[in-house]
Amino acid sequence: MNRNIVSVFIYLIIGLAAIGLVSQLFTNTASFFTSIFTMLGVGIAVFAVIYFIFLRKRTPSSDMKKYKQAVKQSKAKYKTKAKSTKQVHSQPLPTKKKATKRASHLRVIDGNKHKRKNRASF
């Protein structure tokens, strides 16, 4: 029952605010638009201050930077080219095999191969 009373109270306040806005719009239009633009300006200024002080200085972690770089490389590697619809399909196009590239981010680490154990004999 308390929720019902609270919801009626909220609807009453919203209704009175709407009536007040409409009456101010028709009776005193210049001050209405002045107050609206002032509220918008203050809201934008507050948002800009919060954004430039708190949100802009956040830098993503090094793991996130590495992940985004890996995603970019993967998209560049597996990018599919869209075929044009105006191609004449009378002759099949010859397929060429792509030369395999070594991944630039992988490297071979030389280990101690001469210290291997002879596993065949105990």
Side-chain angles (χ1 to χ4, degrees), residues 56-117:
R56 188 172 178 215
K57 291 185 179 180
R58 288 187 187 173
T59 57
S61 66
S62 63
D63 291 337
M64 185 58 77
K65 286 181 183 178
K66 290 177 184 177
Y67 172 73
K68 286 183 180 181
Q69 183 181 5
V71 167
K72 186 187 290 185
Q73 285 179 352
S74 177
K75 283 183 181 179
K77 183 176 180 182
Y78 296 111
K79 178 174 62 172
T80 58
K81 296 180 181 176
K83 295 181 181 179
S84 65
T85 58
K86 295 182 181 180
Q87 284 183 342
V88 178
H89 295 289
S90 62
Q91 295 179 359
L93 297 174
T95 57
K96 295 181 182 178
K97 291 186 178 181
K98 291 184 178 180
T100 57
K101 291 183 180 179
R102 289 186 60 174
S104 62
H105 63 282
L106 301 175
R107 61 183 174 152
V108 176
I109 300 173
D110 293 330
N112 296 328
K113 295 180 182 180
H114 63 280
K115 291 185 179 180
R116 279 191 184 172
K117 294 181 181 178

Side-chain angles (χ1 to χ4, degrees), residues 18-43:
I19 291 170
L21 284 175
V22 170
S23 66
Q24 187 179 9
L25 177 64
F26 288 121
T27 58
N28 199 357
T29 307
S31 69
F32 173 75
F33 284 119
T34 304
S35 63
I36 292 292
F37 288 131
T38 304
M39 285 187 280
L40 285 174
V42 169

